């Protein structure tokens, strides 16, 4: 790439051999202008500007420089000028006393602040006021400036190195004892050409990943120049001579690679895409990160396929340098995006991209290209990663609570529309359990994809939110107008599904939900039973009446029980069995309650008929519930035992019937025994003997554990027996 050259002739530099050499400025993508429009560019040969004049010239030219390339090379030139003046002072201080007055008399030597010059793209440097660097030309062939312009960096460095060695030798031979300013001009010219070479290195690195790219020859030349400079300047000179100071071009090259990566990464989401990302929220951020990932992937592919082979011939580790540079640039970009991330979705997009997209072994899309995590620091600093997770969980807790609110609103809308629950696979179904399952599984899976710690935190959030949701759901349903058997059955099924499936899918996490889920299930079961009780309770009042002796008053009760049981066929089997057994227990208990609190007293033939009627009813009740599938067979002996006591003609066998009754139902009390004996109207002495024996049996049952010894079965304990005159007579 050729650039227009502007050559300004400077004062001739007289070497010890008397050969004058022309100075030409290095083409480092910059233009050096004269310090003033009216200042002549040449002087007489006997005019020698001092160090102050050189400083003033550099300062004036730096004021005209601007641009990105100048900022990159500012540090180089600052070091060049600073070390050069330090070297000149050292040379003057170490001179002979006879030469000191002359050195001191050089105008412009001050100890004020140094003003660095800069390098600009576009042309050749020109000296200020005619005292700038002189043209560096070899004895034959192209000048150093031309070689730099043509990007023949290695040849330019070799020629410049020869001039540097020659200048150091002339300085060592005291050639410039009488002309220290001449040495300054030539040393500065070498310095500027070195800076030009460094600037060209930076320019090549910037263009490498651009649309046009850089040919492999230029990249190989760059790598060889960096290695050659390290070999030429291995360590700083002992006397502090600037000309032999290491230029640290390897570091300069790595810095250029780092800047190039930063520029490339900042291009992702630039312009309209960045504005769209802010406007569209999480989707815009996801699009920006996708563009960023594609850009990094494309650039690193190019580095591995084109850039790395060109550098590797000279032993320059291009892949490692670019990998570190892009890693750092991406980390910086993510930190910037993290500062503006708002809401649960955007935070998750950032965390997911860092953990699962960029952190994936397949990020670069080739099996031999991976972003190894060992030599590279974390993409996000641990403190930032922890903060992002904390912010995400805070937003997530609010979001999950809001999701449960939406689920409750959907259920309430279905209740208000009087929609009957669907029947799926033979069971009443409500979308409640599916909605909760999807909500929990979605967020837990998403969190688990980022880290195990975030997954555990999300599980805890879901557990707390669900435990708070269940009482609200239960209360809202019971206050609605949709309380009926199908909806109650659907809700029982939903609670059962949540209890079994959540515990099975997330073992060790949802145990604390066991209690509220069971409580909600029990509430719905009790409400289901209450509906049946309200329907059949009036029918029990006809029992143990004169009409009962001649009519089948039990059948209407059993018809309602059978109709109720049809709903239980669409309830989860375990909960349906529990409810059916509870209905069975209720029917037997209410039947006995009517027997022990008779509205009419039977004597003689009526008592015997009543006993037979009770036996038939007990058989009907047992057969009905057995047909419905009830497993509460322990209830089958209650009514027949009482019927046997009432109808027993051989009074001594009443004792045996009492033993069977108390042994089968240890929750029976003395009041119940008195009520049963009062129905039979035995004599005083026989009643006393039977009561004493019953009390003995009751004490023995209590010592054995009471109802707990009988499997926790409770029947008589819930039957209230009021005190009546017949009971008092029986006791007396």
């Amino acid at each position: 790439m050729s650039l227009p050259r502007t050559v300004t002739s400077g004062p001739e530099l007289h070497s010890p051999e008397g050969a004058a050499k022309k100075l030409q400025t290095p083409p480092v993508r910059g233009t050096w202008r004269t310090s003033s429009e009216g200042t002549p560019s040449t002087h007489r040969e006997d005019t020698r500007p001092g160090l102050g004049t050189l400083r003033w010239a550099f300062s004036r030219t730096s004021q005209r420089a601007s641009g990105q390339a100048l900022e990159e090379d500012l540090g180089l030139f600052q070091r060049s000028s600073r070390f050069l003046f330090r070297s000149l002072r050292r040379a003057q201080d170490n001179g002979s006393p006879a030469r000191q007055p002359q050195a001191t008399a050089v105008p412009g030597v001050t100890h004020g602040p140094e003003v660095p010059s800069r390098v600009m793209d576009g042309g050749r440097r020109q000296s200020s006021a005619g005292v700038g660097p002189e043209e560096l030309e070899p004895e034959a062939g192209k000048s150093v400036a031309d070689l730099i312009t043509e990007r023949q960096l290695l040849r330019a460095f070799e020629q410049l190195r020869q001039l540097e060695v020659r200048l150091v030798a002339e300085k060592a031979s005291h050639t410039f004892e009488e002309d220290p300013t001449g040495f300054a001009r030539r040393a500065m010219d070498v310095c500027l050409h070195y800076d030009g070479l460094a600037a060209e290195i930076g320019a090549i690195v910037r263009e490498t990943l651009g649309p046009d790219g850089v040919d492999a020859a230029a990249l190989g030349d760059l790598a060889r120049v960096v290695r050659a400079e390290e070999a030429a300047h291995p360590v700083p000179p002992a006397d502090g001579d600037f000309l032999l100071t290491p230029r640290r071009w390897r570091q300069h090259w790595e810095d250029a690679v780092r800047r190039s990566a930063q520029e490339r990464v900042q291009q992702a989401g630039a312009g309209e895409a960045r504005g769209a990302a802010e406007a569209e929220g999480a989707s815009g951020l996801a699009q920006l990160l996708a563009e960023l990932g594609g850009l990094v992937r494309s650039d690193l592919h190019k580095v591995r396929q084109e850039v790395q082979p060109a550098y590797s011939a000279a032993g320059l580790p291009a892949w490692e340098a670019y990998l570190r540079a892009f890693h750092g640039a991406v980390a910086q970009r993510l930190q910037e995006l993290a500062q503006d991330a708002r809401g649960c979705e955007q935070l998750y997009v950032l965390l997911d991209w860092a953990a699962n997209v960029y952190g994936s072994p397949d990020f670069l899309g080739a099996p031999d290209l991976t972003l190894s995590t060992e030599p590279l620091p974390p993409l996000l600093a641990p403190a930032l990663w922890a903060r992002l997770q904390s912010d995400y969980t805070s937003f997530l807790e609010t979001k999950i609570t809001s999701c449960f609110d939406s689920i409750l609103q959907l259920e309430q809308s279905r209740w208000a529309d009087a929609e009957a629950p669907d029947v799926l696979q033979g069971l009443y179904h409500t979308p409640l359990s599916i909605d909760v399952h999807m909500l929990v599984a979605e967020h837990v899976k998403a969190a688990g994809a980022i880290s195990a710690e975030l997954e555990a935190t999300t599980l805890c959030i879901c557990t707390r939110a669900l435990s708070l949701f269940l009482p609200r759901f239960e209360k809202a349903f019971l206050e609605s107008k949709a309380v009926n058997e199908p909806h109650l059955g659907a809700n029982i099924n939903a609670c059962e599904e949540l209890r079994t499936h959540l515990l099975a899918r997330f073992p060790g996490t949802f145990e604390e939900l066991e209690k509220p889920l069971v409580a909600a299930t029990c509430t719905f079961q009790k409400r289901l039973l209450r509906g049946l009780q309200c329907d059949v309770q009036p029918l029990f009042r006809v029992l143990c009446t004169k009409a009962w002796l001649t009519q089948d008053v039990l059948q209407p009760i059993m018809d309602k029980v059978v109709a109720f049981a049809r709903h239980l066929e669409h309830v989860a089997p375990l909960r349906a069995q529990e409810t059916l057994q509870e209905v069975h227990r209720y029917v037997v208990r209410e039947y006995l309650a009517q027997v022990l609190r008779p509205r009419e007293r039977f004597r003689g033939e009526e008592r015997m008929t009543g006993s037979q009627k009770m036996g038939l009813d007990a058989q009907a009740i047992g057969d009905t519930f057995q047909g419905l599938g009830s497993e509460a067979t322990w209830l089958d002996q209650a009514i027949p035992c009482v019927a046997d006591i009432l109808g027993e003609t051989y009074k001594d066998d009443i004792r045996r019937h009492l033993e069977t009754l108390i042994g089968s139902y240890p929750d029976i009390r003395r009041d119940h025994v008195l009520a049963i004996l009062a129905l039979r109207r035995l004599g005083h002495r026989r009643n006393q003997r039977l009561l004493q024996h019953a009390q003995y049996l009751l004490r023995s049952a209590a010592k054995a554990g009471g109802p707990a010894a009988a499997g926790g079965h409770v029947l008589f304990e819930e039957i209230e027996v009021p005190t009546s005159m017949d009971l008092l007579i029986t006791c007396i």
Side-chain angles (χ1 to χ4, degrees):
M1 179 172 58
S2 60
L3 295 174
R5 292 186 293 171
T6 303
V7 179
T8 302
S9 301
E12 297 179 357
L13 182 66
H14 298 278
S15 64
E17 293 82 2
K21 293 181 177 62
K22 298 180 180 179
L23 292 174
Q24 181 173 332
T25 59
V28 286
R29 304 292 185 264
T31 302
W32 289 81
R33 301 183 180 181
T34 58
S35 60
S36 175
E37 296 295 338
T39 304
S41 61
T42 59
H43 292 273
R44 292 182 302 176
E45 295 183 0
D46 58 348
T47 303
R48 298 175 179 174
L51 295 178
T53 305
L54 287 175
R55 287 180 179 176
W56 176 80
F58 300 148
S59 174
R60 292 293 296 172
T61 54
S62 66
Q63 295 173 5
R64 301 292 183 91
S66 63
Q68 183 179 2
L70 305 181
E71 296 177 0
E72 296 176 1
D73 302 316
L74 174 59
L76 289 171
F77 194 77
Q78 285 178 330
R79 292 192 297 270
S80 300
S81 58
R82 183 168 63 252
F83 281 101
L84 175 62
F85 291 130
R86 189 181 302 164
S87 179
L88 289 175
R89 290 195 187 99
R90 188 180 294 109
Q92 293 175 353
D93 295 339
N94 294 338
S96 60
R99 294 194 303 270
Q100 289 178 1
Q102 181 180 0
T104 305
V106 176
V109 178
T110 64
H111 297 280
E114 302 175 4
V115 182
S117 62
R118 299 184 180 182
V119 184
M120 289 184 61
D121 292 341
R124 302 289 183 83
R125 296 180 186 155
Q126 297 180 358
S127 62
S128 175
V131 296
E134 301 173 0
E135 185 180 18
L136 285 175
E137 283 189 6
E139 296 180 358
K142 298 180 180 180
S143 67
V144 174
D146 290 335
L147 294 175
I148 296 175
T149 301
E150 297 172 2
R151 289 191 169 174
Q152 300 185 35
L153 304 185
L154 186 59
R155 289 184 56 192
F157 176 76
E158 291 173 349
Q159 291 190 19
L160 193 58
R161 173 61 178 160
Q162 293 175 5
L163 296 173
E164 180 186 39
V165 171
R166 187 185 310 164
L167 189 58
V168 170
E170 291 175 356
K171 176 186 175 183
S173 63
H174 306 290
T175 302
F176 297 100
E177 288 183 354
E178 301 299 331
D179 187 12
T181 307
F183 171 77
R185 288 197 302 270
R186 291 183 62 184
M188 181 56 69
D189 201 52
V190 171
C191 164
L192 294 176
H193 280 78
Y194 270 133
D195 290 349
L197 271 172
E200 197 65 30
I201 291 173
I204 291 174
V205 172
R206 282 195 306 274
E207 297 171 12
T208 298
L209 298 179
D212 299 330
V214 178
D215 59 86
L219 296 179
D221 218 24
L222 185 154
R224 286 187 287 272
V225 164
V226 171
R227 298 294 299 273
E229 190 279 328
E230 289 179 336
H233 308 124
V235 294
D239 58 356
D241 193 344
F242 172 77
L243 290 176
L244 299 178
T245 299
R247 304 287 170 169
R248 305 187 185 281
W249 282 354
R250 181 184 292 267
Q251 182 63 42
H252 174 66
W253 169 74
E254 292 178 352
D255 293 341
V257 169
R258 190 158 43 250
R259 287 192 297 270
S260 175
Q262 290 175 350
E263 292 172 1
R264 297 288 297 171
V265 166
Q266 290 297 326
Q267 290 178 9
E272 296 181 0
R274 179 172 298 179
E278 295 176 356
E280 297 176 11
S283 60
L285 180 60
Q287 180 181 355
L288 187 152
L289 291 174
E291 181 181 347
L292 173 62
L295 185 145
V296 172
R297 191 179 301 110
S298 175
D299 284 352
L300 288 179
H301 278 179
K302 183 175 182 180
V303 170
R304 192 56 177 260
Q305 296 171 3
E306 302 176 13
V307 179
Q308 169 67 9
Y311 280 116
S312 61
L316 211 58
W319 174 249
E320 290 76 7
Y322 273 98
L323 193 61
R324 288 192 300 269
F326 271 99
H327 184 76
V330 171
Q332 180 180 349
R333 186 66 190 278
L334 284 187
Q335 290 179 6
E336 296 171 358
L337 294 174
Q339 299 300 323
D340 300 328
R342 296 293 183 271
C344 180
E345 289 79 8
Q346 288 192 3
L347 288 169
Y348 181 80
V349 167
L350 274 178
L351 292 170
D352 179 65
W353 193 88
N356 300 321
V357 179
Y358 184 84
S360 171
D362 302 327
F363 173 68
L364 296 181
D368 59 332
L369 298 180
T370 58
L371 291 173
S372 176
T373 57
E374 291 185 1
L376 299 175
L379 185 63
L380 295 175
L384 178 58
W385 179 267
R387 183 182 68 81
L388 289 177
Q389 286 197 124
S390 176
D391 293 345
Y392 171 72
T393 53
S394 298
F395 282 110
L396 181 64
E397 192 164 4
T398 303
K399 180 181 178 181
I400 290 178
T401 302
S402 176
C403 289
F404 277 114
D405 292 341
S406 300
I407 291 174
L408 181 57
Q409 291 174 2
L410 289 175
E411 291 293 325
Q412 288 175 326
S413 65
R414 281 191 286 268
W415 302 334
D417 296 339
E419 297 180 5
D422 299 328
V423 178
L424 296 180
Q425 297 179 350
L427 300 178
Y428 288 130
H429 173 75
T430 174
L432 173 66
S433 60
I434 294 179
D435 293 341
V436 173
H437 273 293
M438 291 181 61
L439 174 65
V440 174
E442 175 186 356
H443 287 93
V444 170
K445 180 180 178 181
I450 295 176
S451 68
E453 178 186 1
L454 189 60
E455 179 183 16
T457 303
T458 304
L459 278 171
C460 292
I461 292 174
C462 292
T463 302
R464 287 196 302 269
L466 183 55
S467 63
L468 295 175
F469 167 77
L470 288 173
R472 295 172 52 216
F473 173 80
E474 175 187 323
K475 180 181 178 182
F477 173 74
L478 295 179
E479 292 176 353
S480 70
K481 297 180 180 180
V483 180
N484 52 39
E485 288 83 359
H487 278 105
L488 285 166
N491 290 337
I492 292 172
N493 292 339
C495 292
E496 183 66 10
E497 290 175 3
L498 290 174
R499 189 183 68 85
T500 56
H501 295 171
L502 285 178
L503 291 178
R505 184 166 183 178
F506 306 105
T509 304
F510 283 93
E511 277 79 2
E512 61 182 275
L513 281 178
E514 178 88 13
K515 187 174 181 179
L517 283 171
V518 170
T521 302
C522 291
T523 300
F524 294 137
Q525 286 178 309
K526 290 178 180 178
R527 187 64 181 83
L528 193 62
L529 285 170
R530 190 185 307 168
L532 175 65
Q533 292 170 2
C534 293
D535 289 340
V536 301
Q537 186 68 36
L539 301 178
F540 279 106
R541 296 174 183 173
V542 187
L543 295 176
C544 298
T545 62
K546 297 293 180 68
W548 167 65
L549 295 176
T550 59
Q551 300 176 8
D552 188 5
V553 298
L554 182 65
Q555 189 59 41
I557 297 175
M558 302 316 297
D559 290 341
K560 289 186 176 293
V561 169
V562 172
F564 176 83
R566 292 195 185 101
H567 293 291
L568 297 181
E569 294 176 358
H570 304 298
V571 178
L574 180 62
R575 302 308 168 194
Q577 181 61 221
E578 291 177 352
T579 307
L580 183 61
Q581 291 186 28
E582 191 63 25
V583 173
H584 191 175
R585 191 174 71 92
Y586 166 75
V587 170
V588 174
R589 185 183 72 229
E590 285 301 314
Y591 192 100
L592 290 174
Q594 296 300 323
V595 171
L596 299 181
R597 298 194 302 264
R599 299 180 182 276
E600 299 179 19
R601 294 292 176 179
F602 300 136
R603 290 183 174 86
E605 193 69 26
E606 290 181 344
R607 179 171 53 79
M608 296 298 296
T609 304
S611 173
Q612 295 174 1
K613 183 70 171 178
M614 289 177 61
L616 294 174
D617 288 346
Q619 184 66 35
I621 293 173
D623 292 343
T624 301
F625 279 102
Q626 183 179 0
L628 295 176
S630 173
E631 298 176 359
T633 57
W634 62 277
L635 294 167
D636 294 341
Q637 296 296 322
I639 298 176
C641 281
V642 177
D644 290 342
I645 294 175
L646 293 179
E648 182 60 57
T649 58
Y650 186 61
K651 296 182 180 180
D652 290 340
D653 287 345
I654 295 177
R655 179 188 179 111
R656 177 171 54 85
H657 295 314
L658 280 176
E659 292 176 353
T660 302
L661 182 64
I662 295 174
S664 300
Y665 304 97
D667 65 318
I668 194 171
R669 300 191 305 269
R670 181 174 180 273
D671 294 343
H672 298 121
V673 175
L674 285 173
I676 295 172
L677 295 178
L679 296 175
R680 184 60 194 267
R681 293 183 180 273
L682 298 172
H684 170 67
R685 293 181 180 179
R686 190 177 297 275
N687 281 339
Q688 289 297 321
R689 289 196 299 269
L690 290 174
L691 281 176
Q692 291 176 359
H693 184 63
Q695 289 176 349
Y696 169 77
L697 295 175
L698 291 174
R699 286 194 296 269
S700 300
K703 292 180 180 179
H713 299 153
V714 175
L715 179 62
F716 285 91
E717 183 177 332
E718 297 176 354
I719 299 176
E720 295 183 1
V721 181
T723 303
S724 65
M725 184 58 66
D726 291 333
L727 292 179
L728 292 176
I729 293 174
T730 302
C731 292
I732 295 172

